[in-house]
Amino acid sequence: MHSDKDIKKEMDEGGKGAIAHELAKKQQEISVTEFFEKNKQILGFDSLSKSLLMGIKEAVDNSLDACEEADILPEIYVKVEKVNDTDYNISIEDNGPGIVHKMMPNVFGRLLFGSRFHALRQSRGQQGIGISATVMNANITTGKPAHIRSKIQGDDAVAWEMDLFIDTKINRPIVTNDQPFKWEGKAHGTRIDYCTKGRYITGSKSTFEYLKNTAIVNPHSKITFDDPEGKRYVFERATEILPVKSKEIKPHPQGLEVGDLQKMVQATQQKTLKALLKNDFSRITDRIAEEILQLSGVKDKKVSAVTREDCVAIVKAIDSVKIMAPQTDCLSPIGDTLIKKGLMHVLEGLRPDYYAQPVTRAPKAVNGNPFIVEAGIVYGGEIPADSEVSILRIANRVPLLYQPGACAITKAIAAMDWRRYGLEQRGGKGIPYGPAIIMVHVASTKVPFTSEGKEAVADFDEIQNEINLALRLCARNLKSHLNKKERKAKTHAKFEIVQQILPEMAQKSAKMLNKPVPDLDRTITKIMNVVWVEPKSSYDPKNKVKKVSYNVYNYTKAERSFRLHAHLPKEAVNETLLGKYFIDMNDEGKANWEVLNMPPSSSVQVSFDLVGDMADVFSEGDIYLSGVSTAFVMGADPLPGDWGIKGMEVTETEMDIAEEAEEEEEEEPDTEEEEDEDEGGAEDDE
């Protein structure tokens, strides 16, 4: 320690010590709000157009989270009103459970204040920064307070409103005009109004685009948007099925760091080290806890006696022990059916030809945090064919509009060879071209974003690999559809020629020979030599009923027995409406119909009805057939290997006939690249 006399002597002498003491006097603590005030770009407020969107995004994300936690179907209203060239009034209102009066200032006026940072479960908001950062940005750009209103559930609940600033020096709210009021026609909910500097734009990074994409991946929500021109857009609710609630889990030891373990030691309620490992972590049993202690060389002891060296040894031991992956009930994926429902509902104006069956991958973990990847592809219709495909990047049900080049999703799409799947790709890499929209959703307890602005998913190998596998499965579905469509078109043309020319020839010949016109069914059968599956459907939107039928024609020389298989949306199934050929359906909605001993030159109709909100999700073209060699089948795909059941066996004789038929068609063999891809695909499907 230096005395004041020593310090004065150093300063008088003009030495280096004098400079150090001068610098010491200038050092001071800054609040987190002050830091973000001077570094707004970290939170995404780095341009006028982006600032306007980010504020709306944070408020809408919070509204969706709050509604889902309270089991309320979300109804969200967004309004953007232009004040002058740079100032905009923004309003966001929801029908959520509301916020308790005394908590309103902290929720909206204090950064890093929230309930989800320490909760290990999937949610849109995680850090407690978003909405308070929005208020802070509005305060410092226009000098105007945010106006908050909220009402909690309850018949006699009073609504409260207040004006709010943030004191950036101490990261605390400054509240004025705090008063109760009667919110007419509002049972419960929250509303925020604020004025901010911004710039309203249209296009791929606009508020409209964000809300449209939000409606796609949150089909249970209703979103109303009034733009600055006074035009109203309403994204109606596509389903009343709420997402499965994610459950909070204990930390998983995978990826644990020494500092994390030290903090847990200090905060635990457990008495011993072994009890801490077993009870404060997930997936650690008595046996695994003992194995960790044995490998680390640390004896079981009181928690108060655990040292830093003990923590280091335990973390190293955990890396050497085989521990089950984290449980996945902390996640809430969208699911195949609702992905398709959301895409169909919002993109119906583009009239796509095909919605590839969406893919939801099995859960994996990265740095101890479980995650799931989902993907879907929309193709054809009025989607532009001469430009790059549109990419919908989603993380925890939130659309990502900025920094696509830094995102693992974009990198995975660009790395695939899409030429094998029917899309144009110049040079064999990069974003493909064609009439398609590709959607990828990453759901996790902690999505690894590249920055606090939550604009791009970090490029971890585990995530990149899962995205790649999900995309390849979707792409195979698309390729199968395009191949089937092309093959069916050619065969259909052949069929029409046969149906037109042969009857005319038969009629003229019969007339010339003065004989009756012969029955041509057997002749057509010999020429066609296929089992033809012709799907038909109709949908009644008023009663939410979809009628589906499959006319199956046996244009082969042999009697046929077969099964039809379809993956039905379970929510739309009433087994009494599945028709006379229906035999069974499993818990996943995979249904089976069986037709026995169908004579040559005959036909049968397999029909069923689907009812409810999810009835229109089913695509009648997604039908599989087993029991007949694929060489004879037109209009249905072979049963996938992952279906979980065996279809009717194809006889050895039939296989020989099929091979002969394929040789007669003289189809060109696959290229080496395609064969390699098929082999890789089989491995991926495992």
Side-chain angles (χ1 to χ4, degrees):
M1 291 289 292
H2 289 276
S3 66
D4 291 341
K5 187 176 180 180
D6 293 333
I7 293 173
K8 188 174 185 305
K9 182 180 179 182
E10 288 181 2
M11 294 180 68
D12 289 343
E13 292 174 354
K16 293 182 180 178
I19 298 174
H21 286 295
E22 283 295 325
L23 293 175
K25 290 180 180 180
K26 296 178 182 179
Q27 291 175 348
Q28 57 181 313
E29 183 181 356
I30 63 170
S31 75
V32 64
T33 318
E34 270 191 299
F35 172 79
F36 284 123
E37 180 185 16
K38 297 182 183 298
N39 298 278
K40 294 187 298 178
Q41 73 282 356
I42 296 177
L43 301 177
F45 298 97
D46 53 352
S47 68
L48 290 177
S49 57
K50 196 172 174 186
S51 295
L52 187 143
L53 173 62
M54 289 299 294
I56 294 171
K57 171 183 174 295
E58 296 295 350
V60 170
D61 291 351
N62 282 5
S63 294
L64 290 169
D65 272 338
C67 288
E68 290 169 12
E69 287 178 16
D71 294 323
I72 297 171
L73 288 168
E75 291 187 13
I76 299 173
Y77 171 70
V78 178
K79 182 178 181 180
V80 178
E81 184 180 14
K82 189 173 183 179
V83 178
N84 54 47
D85 288 343
T86 59
D87 289 6
Y88 288 83
N89 286 328
I90 311 295
S91 303
I92 301 100
E93 181 179 329
D94 65 47
N95 64 329
I99 302 170
V100 176
H101 173 231
K102 68 177 182 179
M103 299 304 295
M104 289 168 62
N106 284 329
V107 169
F108 290 94
R110 192 172 170 187
L111 271 72
L112 295 178
F113 182 91
S115 61
R116 303 186 187 105
F117 183 76
H118 296 287
L120 288 179
R121 62 184 178 89
Q122 178 185 329
S123 64
R124 296 172 182 82
Q126 294 178 350
Q127 300 165 330
I129 291 178
I131 193 62
S132 48
T134 299
V135 172
M136 178 194 73
N137 184 64
N139 290 168
I140 62 180
T141 57
T142 66
K144 296 179 181 180
H147 187 69
I148 317 296
R149 305 180 206 178
S150 192
K151 182 181 180 183
I152 63 173
Q153 290 175 302
D155 294 336
D156 57 348
V158 175
W160 288 85
E161 63 181 344
M162 62 182 66
D163 291 329
L164 192 145
F165 282 98
I166 297 179
D167 187 335
T168 57
K169 286 286 184 184
I170 59 174
N171 188 28
R172 289 295 186 274
I174 301 173
V175 176
T176 58
N177 301 322
D178 184 9
Q179 59 187 2
F181 75 103
K182 189 174 182 180
W183 201 342
E184 295 288 350
K186 194 75 173 179
H188 47 80
T190 301
R191 179 181 177 116
I192 178 172
D193 299 271
Y194 61 92
C195 183
T196 186
K197 285 198 178 299
R199 182 165 64 93
Y200 183 81
I201 62 172
T202 57
S204 62
K205 297 178 180 178
S206 64
T207 300
F208 171 82
E209 196 70 18
Y210 160 73
L211 294 175
K212 182 189 79 173
N213 293 348
T214 299
I216 288 175
V217 293
N218 297 276
H220 60 290
S221 63
K222 177 182 178 181
I223 301 175
T224 304
F225 173 47
D226 289 342
D227 73 5
E229 302 298 325
K231 187 173 181 179
R232 171 165 288 191
Y233 303 89
V234 180
F235 301 101
E236 293 288 354
R237 182 177 293 114
T239 178
E240 295 190 356
I241 301 173
L242 279 163
V244 177
K245 271 190 179 180
S246 56
K247 298 179 181 178
E248 187 172 348
I249 64 170
K250 295 175 182 177
H252 191 274
Q254 182 183 346
L256 185 71
E257 295 182 339
V258 175
D260 296 329
L261 183 56
Q262 285 182 298
K263 284 189 289 185
M264 294 185 70
V265 167
Q266 294 169 3
T268 186
Q269 300 296 314
Q270 307 299 326
K271 302 297 183 183
T272 66
L273 183 55
K274 182 180 176 181
L276 180 148
L277 291 172
K278 179 185 173 184
N279 299 318
D280 287 4
F281 288 97
S282 62
R283 302 303 199 190
I284 292 188
T285 61
D286 271 329
R287 181 188 62 79
I288 294 175
E290 290 174 0
E291 187 177 351
I292 291 171
L293 292 175
Q294 184 178 0
L295 284 173
S296 67
V298 179
K299 295 182 179 180
D300 190 17
K301 60 174 73 174
K302 290 185 178 180
V303 172
S304 57
V306 174
T307 65
R308 180 186 177 280
E309 288 71 23
D310 293 336
C311 292
V312 172
I314 289 171
V315 169
K316 287 182 179 179
I318 286 173
D319 291 337
S320 304
V321 176
K322 189 173 182 180
I323 302 173
M324 286 180 65
Q327 61 262 48
T328 58
D329 53 2
C330 56
L331 299 176
S332 178
I334 304 169
D336 301 355
T337 302
L338 288 178
I339 288 175
K340 193 171 181 180
K341 181 70 174 179
L343 289 168
M344 291 177 66
H345 187 69
V346 177
L347 301 177
E348 61 182 350
L350 295 174
R351 295 194 285 274
D353 296 332
Y354 181 66
Y355 294 85
Q357 180 62 38
V359 171
T360 299
R361 293 286 299 169
K364 293 287 189 288
V366 58
N367 289 345
N369 295 295
F371 73 94
I372 285 177
V373 170
E374 301 178 289
I377 297 178
V378 179
Y379 184 88
E382 296 181 13
I383 301 172
D386 56 352
S387 58
E388 290 185 348
V389 302
S390 298
I391 300 174
L392 303 184
R393 298 177 296 128
I394 313 294
N396 281 359
R397 297 177 179 263
V398 178
L400 309 177
L401 300 185
Y402 285 89
Q403 297 188 16
C407 187
I409 294 172
T410 308
K411 291 178 181 179
I413 292 172
M416 277 184 60
D417 186 354
W418 289 93
R419 296 172 299 179
R420 299 176 179 178
Y421 304 109
L423 295 177
E424 180 186 353
Q425 195 174 29
R426 297 161 191 179
K429 60 181 179 179
I431 305 302
Y433 286 71
I437 298 171
I438 300 173
M439 191 212 82
V440 177
H441 176 223
V442 178
S444 177
T445 56
K446 187 179 180 183
V447 176
F449 292 110
T450 57
S451 69
E452 288 81 357
K454 298 183 291 186
E455 297 166 335
V457 178
D459 191 12
F460 283 87
D461 289 342
E462 298 92 335
I463 293 178
Q464 186 95 5
N465 185 55
E466 283 300 302
I467 294 172
N468 181 53
L469 293 175
L471 287 172
R472 290 175 70 176
L473 287 170
C474 267
R476 284 195 201 101
N477 292 337
L478 174 61
K479 181 182 179 181
S480 174
H481 164 74
L482 295 176
N483 289 344
K484 182 171 66 174
K485 184 178 179 181
E486 182 180 2
R487 186 179 169 212
K488 189 172 182 179
K490 290 179 180 178
T491 307
H492 206 283
K494 174 183 174 183
F495 191 31
E496 287 180 346
I497 290 172
V498 169
Q499 281 189 316
Q500 290 175 4
I501 294 177
L502 284 184
E504 289 182 8
M505 291 176 62
Q507 288 177 0
K508 289 182 179 180
S509 299
K511 187 176 181 181
M512 290 173 61
L513 299 173
N514 197 25
K515 290 187 176 182
V517 179
D519 184 0
L520 298 177
D521 285 347
R522 291 187 177 275
T523 304
I524 293 175
T525 294
K526 289 180 180 180
I527 295 173
M528 296 304 299
N529 199 32
V530 294
V531 173
W532 185 281
V533 182
E534 188 70 39
K536 289 184 180 179
S537 70
S538 63
Y539 180 65
D540 178 0
K542 182 178 179 181
N543 296 312
K544 298 180 179 179
V545 176
K546 184 165 189 173
K547 293 184 175 295
V548 183
S549 65
Y550 296 95
N551 290 318
V552 185
Y553 303 90
N554 182 11
Y555 291 121
T556 68
K557 295 175 284 186
E559 191 176 72
R560 299 291 176 184
S561 295
F562 59 86
R563 286 182 183 176
L564 286 177
H565 314 268
H567 196 167
L568 306 178
K570 291 188 297 181
E571 301 84 356
V573 172
N574 180 339
E575 290 199 12
T576 62
L577 303 177
L578 293 183
K580 67 176 183 178
Y581 294 107
F582 171 72
I583 52 174
D584 58 33
M585 183 178 71
N586 68 8
D587 292 338
E588 297 177 16
K590 294 177 178 178
N592 309 288
W593 295 263
E594 186 174 67
V595 175
L596 298 174
N597 306 321
M598 182 180 173
S601 306
S602 66
S603 65
V604 297
Q605 186 180 79
V606 177
S607 59
F608 56 89
D609 292 352
L610 299 173
V611 294
D613 284 342
M614 295 295 136
D616 60 335
V617 173
F618 177 69
S619 296
E620 61 277 4
D622 293 334
I623 191 73
Y624 308 102
L625 187 143
S626 64
V628 179
S629 171
T630 55
F632 293 117
V633 178
M634 182 60 58
D637 293 324
L639 188 67
D642 63 350
W643 190 263
I645 64 168
K646 289 186 177 181
M648 302 181 71
E649 297 298 329
V650 179
T651 65
E652 188 173 343
T653 302
E654 190 173 53
M655 288 297 295
D656 293 337
I657 296 172
E659 289 174 3
E660 291 175 7
E662 288 175 345
E663 289 175 3
E664 289 174 2
E665 289 180 7
E666 295 183 351
E667 293 181 352
E668 293 185 4
D670 291 342
T671 64
E672 290 183 7
E673 286 186 347
E674 288 174 331
E675 290 173 357
D676 291 343
E677 175 67 9
D678 291 339
E679 291 174 6
E683 294 173 2
D684 294 339
D685 291 342
E686 292 180 8

Coordinates of all heavy atoms in Angstrom, one line a residue, residues 189-226:
G189 N -54.5 -9.6 -20.9 CA -53.5 -9.4 -22.0 C -52.5 -8.2 -21.7 O -52.6 -7.6 -20.6
T190 N -51.7 -7.9 -22.6 CA -50.7 -6.9 -22.4 C -50.5 -6.1 -23.7 O -50.7 -6.7 -24.8 CB -49.3 -7.5 -22.1 OG1 -49.5 -8.3 -20.9 CG2 -48.2 -6.4 -21.8
R191 N -50.2 -4.8 -23.6 CA -50.0 -4.0 -24.8 C -48.9 -3.0 -24.5 O -48.7 -2.5 -23.4 CB -51.3 -3.2 -25.1 CG -51.1 -2.2 -26.3 CD -52.3 -1.4 -26.6 NE -52.2 -0.5 -27.7 CZ -52.8 -0.5 -28.9 NH1 -53.7 -1.5 -29.1 NH2 -52.6 0.4 -29.8
I192 N -48.0 -2.8 -25.5 CA -46.9 -1.9 -25.4 C -47.0 -0.9 -26.6 O -47.2 -1.4 -27.7 CB -45.5 -2.5 -25.3 CG1 -44.4 -1.5 -25.3 CG2 -45.3 -3.5 -26.5 CD1 -43.0 -2.0 -25.0
D193 N -46.9 0.4 -26.3 CA -46.9 1.4 -27.4 C -45.6 2.2 -27.2 O -45.3 2.6 -26.0 CB -48.1 2.4 -27.3 CG -49.4 1.7 -27.4 OD1 -49.8 1.5 -28.6 OD2 -50.0 1.2 -26.4
Y194 N -44.8 2.4 -28.2 CA -43.6 3.2 -28.1 C -43.3 3.9 -29.4 O -43.8 3.5 -30.5 CB -42.4 2.3 -27.7 CG -42.1 1.2 -28.7 CD1 -41.1 1.4 -29.7 CD2 -42.6 -0.1 -28.6 CE1 -40.8 0.4 -30.5 CE2 -42.3 -1.1 -29.5 CZ -41.4 -0.8 -30.4 OH -41.0 -1.8 -31.3
C195 N -42.5 4.9 -29.4 CA -42.1 5.7 -30.6 C -40.6 5.4 -30.7 O -39.8 5.6 -29.8 CB -42.4 7.1 -30.4 SG -42.0 8.1 -31.9
T196 N -40.2 5.1 -31.9 CA -38.8 4.8 -32.2 C -38.4 5.3 -33.6 O -39.2 5.5 -34.4 CB -38.5 3.3 -32.2 OG1 -37.1 3.0 -32.3 CG2 -39.3 2.6 -33.3
K197 N -37.1 5.6 -33.7 CA -36.6 5.9 -35.0 C -36.4 4.7 -35.8 O -35.9 3.7 -35.3 CB -35.3 6.7 -34.9 CG -35.4 8.1 -34.4 CD -34.2 9.0 -34.7 CE -34.4 10.4 -34.3 NZ -35.5 11.0 -35.0
G198 N -36.8 4.7 -37.0 CA -36.7 3.5 -37.9 C -37.0 3.8 -39.3 O -37.2 5.0 -39.7
R199 N -37.1 2.8 -40.1 CA -37.5 2.9 -41.5 C -38.3 1.7 -41.9 O -37.8 0.5 -41.8 CB -36.2 3.0 -42.4 CG -36.5 3.2 -43.9 CD -35.3 3.7 -44.6 NE -34.2 2.8 -44.6 CZ -34.0 1.8 -45.5 NH1 -34.8 1.8 -46.6 NH2 -33.0 1.0 -45.4
Y200 N -39.5 1.9 -42.4 CA -40.3 0.8 -42.7 C -40.0 0.4 -44.2 O -40.0 1.2 -45.1 CB -41.8 1.1 -42.6 CG -42.7 0.0 -43.0 CD1 -43.0 -1.0 -42.0 CD2 -43.3 -0.1 -44.2 CE1 -43.8 -2.1 -42.3 CE2 -44.1 -1.2 -44.6 CZ -44.4 -2.2 -43.6 OH -45.2 -3.2 -43.9
I201 N -39.7 -0.9 -44.4 CA -39.4 -1.4 -45.7 C -40.3 -2.6 -46.1 O -40.9 -3.2 -45.2 CB -37.9 -1.9 -45.8 CG1 -37.6 -3.0 -44.8 CG2 -36.9 -0.7 -45.5 CD1 -36.3 -3.7 -44.9
T202 N -40.3 -2.9 -47.3 CA -41.0 -4.1 -47.8 C -39.9 -5.1 -48.3 O -38.8 -4.8 -48.5 CB -42.0 -3.8 -48.9 OG1 -41.3 -3.1 -50.0 CG2 -43.1 -2.8 -48.4
G203 N -40.4 -6.3 -48.6 CA -39.4 -7.3 -49.2 C -39.1 -8.4 -48.2 O -39.8 -8.6 -47.2
S204 N -38.0 -9.1 -48.4 CA -37.6 -10.3 -47.7 C -37.3 -10.0 -46.2 O -37.3 -11.0 -45.4 CB -36.5 -11.0 -48.3 OG -35.3 -10.2 -48.4
K205 N -36.9 -8.8 -45.9 CA -36.5 -8.5 -44.5 C -37.5 -7.5 -43.8 O -37.1 -6.7 -43.0 CB -35.1 -8.0 -44.4 CG -34.1 -9.0 -44.9 CD -32.7 -8.5 -44.9 CE -31.7 -9.5 -45.4 NZ -30.3 -9.0 -45.5
S206 N -38.7 -7.6 -44.2 CA -39.7 -6.6 -43.8 C -40.5 -7.1 -42.6 O -40.5 -8.3 -42.3 CB -40.7 -6.3 -44.9 OG -41.4 -7.4 -45.2
T207 N -41.2 -6.2 -41.9 CA -42.1 -6.7 -40.8 C -43.2 -7.6 -41.3 O -43.5 -8.6 -40.6 CB -42.8 -5.4 -40.2 OG1 -41.8 -4.5 -39.7 CG2 -43.7 -5.8 -39.1
F208 N -43.7 -7.4 -42.5 CA -44.7 -8.3 -43.1 C -44.2 -9.7 -43.2 O -44.8 -10.7 -42.9 CB -45.2 -7.7 -44.4 CG -46.1 -8.7 -45.2 CD1 -47.5 -8.8 -44.8 CD2 -45.6 -9.5 -46.2 CE1 -48.3 -9.7 -45.5 CE2 -46.4 -10.4 -46.8 CZ -47.7 -10.5 -46.5
E209 N -43.0 -9.8 -43.8 CA -42.4 -11.1 -44.0 C -42.1 -11.8 -42.7 O -42.3 -13.0 -42.6 CB -41.0 -10.9 -44.8 CG -40.5 -12.2 -45.4 CD -41.4 -12.6 -46.6 OE1 -42.2 -11.8 -47.1 OE2 -41.3 -13.8 -47.0
Y210 N -41.7 -11.1 -41.7 CA -41.4 -11.7 -40.4 C -42.7 -12.3 -39.8 O -42.8 -13.4 -39.3 CB -40.8 -10.7 -39.4 CG -41.0 -11.1 -38.0 CD1 -40.3 -12.1 -37.4 CD2 -42.0 -10.5 -37.2 CE1 -40.5 -12.5 -36.1 CE2 -42.2 -10.8 -35.9 CZ -41.4 -11.9 -35.3 OH -41.6 -12.3 -34.0
L211 N -43.8 -11.5 -39.9 CA -45.1 -11.9 -39.3 C -45.7 -13.1 -40.1 O -46.3 -14.0 -39.6 CB -46.1 -10.7 -39.3 CG -45.7 -9.6 -38.3 CD1 -46.7 -8.4 -38.4 CD2 -45.7 -10.1 -36.9
K212 N -45.5 -13.0 -41.5 CA -46.0 -14.1 -42.3 C -45.2 -15.4 -42.0 O -45.9 -16.5 -41.8 CB -45.7 -13.8 -43.8 CG -46.3 -14.9 -44.8 CD -45.8 -14.6 -46.2 CE -44.4 -15.1 -46.4 NZ -44.0 -15.0 -47.8
N213 N -43.9 -15.4 -41.8 CA -43.2 -16.6 -41.5 C -43.5 -17.0 -40.1 O -43.5 -18.2 -39.8 CB -41.7 -16.3 -41.6 CG -41.3 -16.1 -43.1 OD1 -42.0 -16.3 -44.0 ND2 -40.1 -15.6 -43.3
T214 N -43.7 -16.1 -39.2 CA -44.2 -16.5 -37.8 C -45.5 -17.2 -37.8 O -45.6 -18.2 -37.1 CB -44.3 -15.2 -36.9 OG1 -43.0 -14.5 -36.8 CG2 -44.7 -15.6 -35.5
A215 N -46.4 -16.8 -38.7 CA -47.7 -17.5 -38.8 C -47.5 -18.9 -39.3 O -48.2 -19.8 -39.0 CB -48.6 -16.7 -39.7
I216 N -46.5 -19.1 -40.2 CA -46.3 -20.4 -40.8 C -45.8 -21.4 -39.7 O -46.4 -22.5 -39.7 CB -45.2 -20.4 -41.9 CG1 -45.7 -19.7 -43.2 CG2 -44.7 -21.8 -42.3 CD1 -44.7 -19.4 -44.2
V217 N -44.9 -21.0 -38.9 CA -44.4 -21.9 -37.9 C -45.1 -21.9 -36.5 O -44.8 -22.6 -35.6 CB -42.9 -21.7 -37.6 CG1 -42.1 -22.0 -38.9 CG2 -42.6 -20.3 -37.2
N218 N -46.1 -21.0 -36.5 CA -47.0 -21.0 -35.3 C -48.4 -21.0 -35.8 O -49.2 -20.0 -35.6 CB -46.7 -19.7 -34.5 CG -45.3 -19.7 -33.9 OD1 -45.1 -20.2 -32.8 ND2 -44.4 -19.0 -34.6
P219 N -48.9 -22.1 -36.4 CA -50.2 -22.1 -37.0 C -51.3 -22.0 -36.0 O -52.5 -21.8 -36.4 CB -50.2 -23.5 -37.8 CG -49.2 -24.3 -37.1 CD -48.1 -23.4 -36.6
H220 N -51.0 -22.1 -34.7 CA -52.1 -22.0 -33.7 C -52.4 -20.5 -33.4 O -53.2 -20.3 -32.5 CB -51.6 -22.7 -32.4 CG -50.4 -22.2 -31.9 ND1 -49.1 -22.4 -32.5 CD2 -50.1 -21.5 -30.7 CE1 -48.2 -21.8 -31.7 NE2 -48.8 -21.3 -30.7
S221 N -51.7 -19.6 -34.0 CA -51.8 -18.2 -33.6 C -52.6 -17.4 -34.7 O -52.6 -17.8 -35.9 CB -50.4 -17.5 -33.4 OG -49.7 -17.6 -34.6
K222 N -53.2 -16.3 -34.3 CA -53.9 -15.4 -35.2 C -53.1 -14.1 -35.1 O -53.0 -13.5 -34.0 CB -55.3 -15.2 -34.8 CG -56.0 -14.1 -35.7 CD -57.5 -13.9 -35.3 CE -58.1 -12.8 -36.2 NZ -59.5 -12.6 -35.8
I223 N -52.6 -13.6 -36.2 CA -51.8 -12.3 -36.2 C -52.4 -11.3 -37.1 O -52.7 -11.6 -38.3 CB -50.4 -12.6 -36.6 CG1 -49.7 -13.7 -35.7 CG2 -49.5 -11.3 -36.6 CD1 -48.3 -14.1 -36.1
T224 N -52.7 -10.1 -36.6 CA -53.3 -9.0 -37.4 C -52.2 -7.9 -37.5 O -51.6 -7.5 -36.5 CB -54.6 -8.5 -36.7 OG1 -55.5 -9.6 -36.5 CG2 -55.2 -7.4 -37.5
F225 N -52.0 -7.4 -38.7 CA -51.0 -6.4 -38.9 C -51.6 -5.2 -39.7 O -52.1 -5.4 -40.8 CB -49.8 -7.0 -39.6 CG -48.8 -6.0 -40.1 CD1 -48.3 -5.1 -39.2 CD2 -48.3 -6.1 -41.3 CE1 -47.3 -4.2 -39.6 CE2 -47.3 -5.2 -41.8 CZ -46.8 -4.2 -40.9
D226 N -51.4 -4.0 -39.1 CA -51.8 -2.8 -39.8 C -50.5 -2.1 -40.2 O -49.7 -1.7 -39.3 CB -52.6 -1.9 -38.9 CG -54.0 -2.4 -38.7 OD1 -54.5 -3.2 -39.5 OD2 -54.7 -1.9 -37.7

